[in-house]
Amino acid sequence: MEKKNINILKILATILFAVAIFGAYFYVIFKGDFSTPYLSYGCIGACFVFAFLFIGKSLKKCFLCLALATNVVADYFLVLMPSQENKLIGLCVFCGVQFFYFLYTLVLAKGNGTRVINIALRVALCLLAYFLLPKYFVLSTLEMISVMYILNSFVTLLILLIHLKTEWLTFIGFLLFFICDVFVGLTNGGVEVLGITGAFVEFIFKYNIVFYTYIPGIFLIATSSVWSKNGENKK
């Protein structure tokens, strides 16, 4: 009976948070005013609150909640207080977000061997990027950190794909989050660094792909935490 009551509470909470978050989300879309930061920030904060209300006792839930909480801190600098200096601070905080998702993937691992491969792949990609990319591209510190960030995000996405059977909701949410990050990078200097031109550039600057993917992705990640079993992958 208690489990049934908890599930009913989760259903009601999911509906209420979805209505509130997507109400604000579609309001911004239909109004066409993407310059209002408080609604976007409020949606991200609400996603964290939603996940935190059902944090439970599993490491999976804890790491997702910590990632969402750090996400809120990062967006304070990037969304509410945008400046060149805060862009670097926000990106560094977002690296902390990726760190918690990395820990989440370690919890998903079935053994120490896969955990070692996970860590080794991330380290190898970052080292290759650090030593090879400067030979072909002129990268600032901010851009190099962005590359490290997106590489780690890509590895996390691959691992979630491997565990798609049990992590499908987290995967979809993180995929949207990853797409958002890619377009953030492209619209903040990536296009110039990579020398991309043509209709694609016009497309990414005309349509706010970042907003369209960011909030739904974070909400799905929060929802996956809420509906994850408390005892699952508990260490």
mmCIF file of all heavy atoms in Angstrom, residues 45-72:
data_model
loop_
_atom_site.group_PDB
_atom_site.id
_atom_site.type_symbol
_atom_site.label_atom_id
_atom_site.label_comp_id
_atom_site.label_asym_id
_atom_site.label_seq_id
_atom_site.Cartn_x
_atom_site.Cartn_y
_atom_site.Cartn_z
ATOM 1 N N GLY A 45 15.702 25.272 -12.407
ATOM 2 C CA GLY A 45 15.617 25.130 -10.951
ATOM 3 C C GLY A 45 14.498 24.194 -10.539
ATOM 4 O O GLY A 45 14.658 23.377 -9.620
ATOM 5 N N ALA A 46 13.367 24.273 -11.233
ATOM 6 C CA ALA A 46 12.229 23.401 -10.919
ATOM 7 C C ALA A 46 12.560 21.936 -11.205
ATOM 8 O O ALA A 46 12.118 21.038 -10.469
ATOM 9 C CB ALA A 46 11.010 23.832 -11.739
ATOM 10 N N CYS A 47 13.339 21.681 -12.252
ATOM 11 C CA CYS A 47 13.755 20.308 -12.571
ATOM 12 C C CYS A 47 14.581 19.722 -11.426
ATOM 13 O O CYS A 47 14.408 18.550 -11.047
ATOM 14 C CB CYS A 47 14.552 20.282 -13.870
ATOM 15 S SG CYS A 47 13.572 20.557 -15.356
ATOM 16 N N PHE A 48 15.488 20.542 -10.865
ATOM 17 C CA PHE A 48 16.278 20.071 -9.731
ATOM 18 C C PHE A 48 15.387 19.784 -8.531
ATOM 19 O O PHE A 48 15.524 18.741 -7.869
ATOM 20 C CB PHE A 48 17.342 21.099 -9.354
ATOM 21 C CG PHE A 48 17.885 20.904 -7.965
ATOM 22 C CD1 PHE A 48 18.639 19.780 -7.650
ATOM 23 C CD2 PHE A 48 17.602 21.819 -6.956
ATOM 24 C CE1 PHE A 48 19.115 19.570 -6.352
ATOM 25 C CE2 PHE A 48 18.068 21.628 -5.669
ATOM 26 C CZ PHE A 48 18.827 20.498 -5.370
ATOM 27 N N VAL A 49 14.475 20.694 -8.217
ATOM 28 C CA VAL A 49 13.565 20.504 -7.078
ATOM 29 C C VAL A 49 12.753 19.227 -7.258
ATOM 30 O O VAL A 49 12.576 18.441 -6.316
ATOM 31 C CB VAL A 49 12.627 21.721 -6.925
ATOM 32 C CG1 VAL A 49 11.547 21.441 -5.879
ATOM 33 C CG2 VAL A 49 13.425 22.959 -6.538
ATOM 34 N N PHE A 50 12.264 19.012 -8.469
ATOM 35 C CA PHE A 50 11.486 17.811 -8.794
ATOM 36 C C PHE A 50 12.279 16.546 -8.486
ATOM 37 O O PHE A 50 11.784 15.618 -7.827
ATOM 38 C CB PHE A 50 11.095 17.873 -10.264
ATOM 39 C CG PHE A 50 10.341 16.679 -10.778
ATOM 40 C CD1 PHE A 50 9.342 16.079 -10.022
ATOM 41 C CD2 PHE A 50 10.617 16.156 -12.042
ATOM 42 C CE1 PHE A 50 8.635 14.981 -10.510
ATOM 43 C CE2 PHE A 50 9.921 15.077 -12.533
ATOM 44 C CZ PHE A 50 8.932 14.482 -11.765
ATOM 45 N N ALA A 51 13.524 16.483 -8.941
ATOM 46 C CA ALA A 51 14.368 15.309 -8.698
ATOM 47 C C ALA A 51 14.715 15.182 -7.216
ATOM 48 O O ALA A 51 14.726 14.072 -6.656
ATOM 49 C CB ALA A 51 15.642 15.394 -9.530
ATOM 50 N N PHE A 52 14.986 16.303 -6.566
ATOM 51 C CA PHE A 52 15.406 16.289 -5.166
ATOM 52 C C PHE A 52 14.296 15.786 -4.233
ATOM 53 O O PHE A 52 14.563 15.138 -3.221
ATOM 54 C CB PHE A 52 15.847 17.687 -4.732
ATOM 55 C CG PHE A 52 16.373 17.757 -3.334
ATOM 56 C CD1 PHE A 52 17.628 17.247 -3.018
ATOM 57 C CD2 PHE A 52 15.609 18.320 -2.315
ATOM 58 C CE1 PHE A 52 18.108 17.296 -1.722
ATOM 59 C CE2 PHE A 52 16.086 18.376 -1.016
ATOM 60 C CZ PHE A 52 17.338 17.858 -0.711
ATOM 61 N N LEU A 53 13.036 16.062 -4.581
ATOM 62 C CA LEU A 53 11.910 15.624 -3.749
ATOM 63 C C LEU A 53 11.840 14.107 -3.623
ATOM 64 O O LEU A 53 11.300 13.575 -2.651
ATOM 65 C CB LEU A 53 10.596 16.158 -4.338
ATOM 66 C CG LEU A 53 10.344 17.660 -4.194
ATOM 67 C CD1 LEU A 53 9.062 18.053 -4.929
ATOM 68 C CD2 LEU A 53 10.263 18.064 -2.727
ATOM 69 N N PHE A 54 12.403 13.404 -4.612
ATOM 70 C CA PHE A 54 12.358 11.939 -4.619
ATOM 71 C C PHE A 54 13.776 11.361 -4.707
ATOM 72 O O PHE A 54 14.002 10.351 -5.362
ATOM 73 C CB PHE A 54 11.518 11.441 -5.802
ATOM 74 C CG PHE A 54 10.098 11.914 -5.770
ATOM 75 C CD1 PHE A 54 9.722 13.062 -6.448
ATOM 76 C CD2 PHE A 54 9.137 11.220 -5.044
ATOM 77 C CE1 PHE A 54 8.408 13.517 -6.419
ATOM 78 C CE2 PHE A 54 7.820 11.652 -5.007
ATOM 79 C CZ PHE A 54 7.451 12.818 -5.687
ATOM 80 N N ILE A 55 14.712 11.988 -4.005
ATOM 81 C CA ILE A 55 16.115 11.610 -4.148
ATOM 82 C C ILE A 55 16.396 10.195 -3.654
ATOM 83 O O ILE A 55 17.259 9.495 -4.182
ATOM 84 C CB ILE A 55 17.036 12.623 -3.432
ATOM 85 C CG1 ILE A 55 18.506 12.356 -3.798
ATOM 86 C CG2 ILE A 55 16.812 12.605 -1.931
ATOM 87 C CD1 ILE A 55 19.438 13.453 -3.338
ATOM 88 N N GLY A 56 15.682 9.726 -2.648
ATOM 89 C CA GLY A 56 15.875 8.355 -2.183
ATOM 90 C C GLY A 56 17.258 8.090 -1.619
ATOM 91 O O GLY A 56 17.952 9.006 -1.176
ATOM 92 N N LYS A 57 17.688 6.833 -1.676
ATOM 93 C CA LYS A 57 18.953 6.438 -1.065
ATOM 94 C C LYS A 57 19.930 5.787 -2.041
ATOM 95 O O LYS A 57 20.920 5.196 -1.607
ATOM 96 C CB LYS A 57 18.685 5.469 0.093
ATOM 97 C CG LYS A 57 17.868 6.073 1.224
ATOM 98 C CD LYS A 57 17.636 5.062 2.334
ATOM 99 C CE LYS A 57 16.814 5.678 3.458
ATOM 100 N NZ LYS A 57 16.567 4.693 4.551
ATOM 101 N N SER A 58 19.679 5.874 -3.325
ATOM 102 C CA SER A 58 20.591 5.242 -4.284
ATOM 103 C C SER A 58 21.612 6.243 -4.805
ATOM 104 O O SER A 58 21.342 7.447 -4.905
ATOM 105 C CB SER A 58 19.817 4.621 -5.446
ATOM 106 O OG SER A 58 19.368 5.630 -6.328
ATOM 107 N N LEU A 59 22.782 5.745 -5.157
ATOM 108 C CA LEU A 59 23.824 6.599 -5.704
ATOM 109 C C LEU A 59 23.398 7.199 -7.043
ATOM 110 O O LEU A 59 23.740 8.337 -7.363
ATOM 111 C CB LEU A 59 25.119 5.800 -5.893
ATOM 112 C CG LEU A 59 25.943 5.544 -4.629
ATOM 113 C CD1 LEU A 59 27.148 4.688 -4.960
ATOM 114 C CD2 LEU A 59 26.376 6.855 -3.995
ATOM 115 N N LYS A 60 22.644 6.437 -7.812
ATOM 116 C CA LYS A 60 22.180 6.936 -9.106
ATOM 117 C C LYS A 60 21.384 8.220 -8.925
ATOM 118 O O LYS A 60 21.633 9.227 -9.595
ATOM 119 C CB LYS A 60 21.316 5.879 -9.795
ATOM 120 C CG LYS A 60 22.079 4.706 -10.365
ATOM 121 C CD LYS A 60 21.147 3.709 -11.021
ATOM 122 C CE LYS A 60 20.447 4.304 -12.208
ATOM 123 N NZ LYS A 60 19.594 3.320 -12.906
ATOM 124 N N LYS A 61 20.424 8.202 -8.023
ATOM 125 C CA LYS A 61 19.597 9.384 -7.781
ATOM 126 C C LYS A 61 20.442 10.531 -7.230
ATOM 127 O O LYS A 61 20.263 11.687 -7.625
ATOM 128 C CB LYS A 61 18.473 9.037 -6.802
ATOM 129 C CG LYS A 61 17.350 8.189 -7.377
ATOM 130 C CD LYS A 61 16.371 7.811 -6.273
ATOM 131 C CE LYS A 61 15.171 7.050 -6.820
ATOM 132 N NZ LYS A 61 14.159 7.946 -7.406
ATOM 133 N N CYS A 62 21.354 10.208 -6.324
ATOM 134 C CA CYS A 62 22.206 11.241 -5.720
ATOM 135 C C CYS A 62 23.054 11.942 -6.771
ATOM 136 O O CYS A 62 23.149 13.181 -6.781
ATOM 137 C CB CYS A 62 23.098 10.624 -4.646
ATOM 138 S SG CYS A 62 22.218 10.170 -3.141
ATOM 139 N N PHE A 63 23.670 11.173 -7.660
ATOM 140 C CA PHE A 63 24.546 11.775 -8.670
ATOM 141 C C PHE A 63 23.749 12.599 -9.681
ATOM 142 O O PHE A 63 24.209 13.662 -10.122
ATOM 143 C CB PHE A 63 25.367 10.700 -9.377
ATOM 144 C CG PHE A 63 26.451 10.110 -8.516
ATOM 145 C CD1 PHE A 63 26.779 8.761 -8.611
ATOM 146 C CD2 PHE A 63 27.145 10.889 -7.607
ATOM 147 C CE1 PHE A 63 27.780 8.215 -7.810
ATOM 148 C CE2 PHE A 63 28.139 10.361 -6.803
ATOM 149 C CZ PHE A 63 28.465 9.018 -6.906
ATOM 150 N N LEU A 64 22.561 12.129 -10.050
ATOM 151 C CA LEU A 64 21.739 12.916 -10.969
ATOM 152 C C LEU A 64 21.283 14.216 -10.302
ATOM 153 O O LEU A 64 21.282 15.277 -10.931
ATOM 154 C CB LEU A 64 20.521 12.107 -11.437
ATOM 155 C CG LEU A 64 20.781 11.020 -12.482
ATOM 156 C CD1 LEU A 64 19.472 10.376 -12.917
ATOM 157 C CD2 LEU A 64 21.505 11.580 -13.695
ATOM 158 N N CYS A 65 20.906 14.130 -9.028
ATOM 159 C CA CYS A 65 20.492 15.339 -8.304
ATOM 160 C C CYS A 65 21.647 16.321 -8.146
ATOM 161 O O CYS A 65 21.469 17.534 -8.275
ATOM 162 C CB CYS A 65 19.933 14.968 -6.932
ATOM 163 S SG CYS A 65 18.242 14.354 -6.985
ATOM 164 N N LEU A 66 22.840 15.802 -7.882
ATOM 165 C CA LEU A 66 24.017 16.670 -7.768
ATOM 166 C C LEU A 66 24.339 17.319 -9.110
ATOM 167 O O LEU A 66 24.723 18.499 -9.169
ATOM 168 C CB LEU A 66 25.216 15.864 -7.261
ATOM 169 C CG LEU A 66 25.184 15.508 -5.773
ATOM 170 C CD1 LEU A 66 26.289 14.499 -5.440
ATOM 171 C CD2 LEU A 66 25.349 16.759 -4.918
ATOM 172 N N ALA A 67 24.178 16.560 -10.192
ATOM 173 C CA ALA A 67 24.403 17.120 -11.526
ATOM 174 C C ALA A 67 23.402 18.237 -11.810
ATOM 175 O O ALA A 67 23.767 19.305 -12.324
ATOM 176 C CB ALA A 67 24.278 16.025 -12.591
ATOM 177 N N LEU A 68 22.146 18.026 -11.446
ATOM 178 C CA LEU A 68 21.112 19.038 -11.671
ATOM 179 C C LEU A 68 21.341 20.268 -10.798
ATOM 180 O O LEU A 68 21.132 21.407 -11.234
ATOM 181 C CB LEU A 68 19.729 18.440 -11.401
ATOM 182 C CG LEU A 68 19.263 17.368 -12.397
ATOM 183 C CD1 LEU A 68 18.010 16.670 -11.891
ATOM 184 C CD2 LEU A 68 19.008 17.985 -13.770
ATOM 185 N N ALA A 69 21.770 20.038 -9.556
ATOM 186 C CA ALA A 69 22.052 21.159 -8.657
ATOM 187 C C ALA A 69 23.207 22.003 -9.182
ATOM 188 O O ALA A 69 23.151 23.244 -9.174
ATOM 189 C CB ALA A 69 22.374 20.631 -7.255
ATOM 190 N N THR A 70 24.253 21.340 -9.649
ATOM 191 C CA THR A 70 25.404 22.054 -10.213
ATOM 192 C C THR A 70 25.005 22.779 -11.489
ATOM 193 O O THR A 70 25.507 23.871 -11.790
ATOM 194 C CB THR A 70 26.557 21.066 -10.494
ATOM 195 O OG1 THR A 70 26.776 20.243 -9.347
ATOM 196 C CG2 THR A 70 27.846 21.805 -10.802
ATOM 197 N N ASN A 71 24.083 22.178 -12.239
ATOM 198 C CA ASN A 71 23.539 22.792 -13.448
ATOM 199 C C ASN A 71 22.885 24.147 -13.116
ATOM 200 O O ASN A 71 23.041 25.137 -13.838
ATOM 201 C CB ASN A 71 22.496 21.850 -14.061
ATOM 202 C CG ASN A 71 22.374 21.996 -15.555
ATOM 203 O OD1 ASN A 71 22.273 21.018 -16.289
ATOM 204 N ND2 ASN A 71 22.354 23.219 -16.023
ATOM 205 N N VAL A 72 22.157 24.165 -12.010
ATOM 206 C CA VAL A 72 21.497 25.400 -11.567
ATOM 207 C C VAL A 72 22.533 26.483 -11.259
ATOM 208 O O VAL A 72 22.373 27.650 -11.629
ATOM 209 C CB VAL A 72 20.620 25.133 -10.328
ATOM 210 C CG1 VAL A 72 20.069 26.439 -9.755
ATOM 211 C CG2 VAL A 72 19.463 24.196 -10.674
#
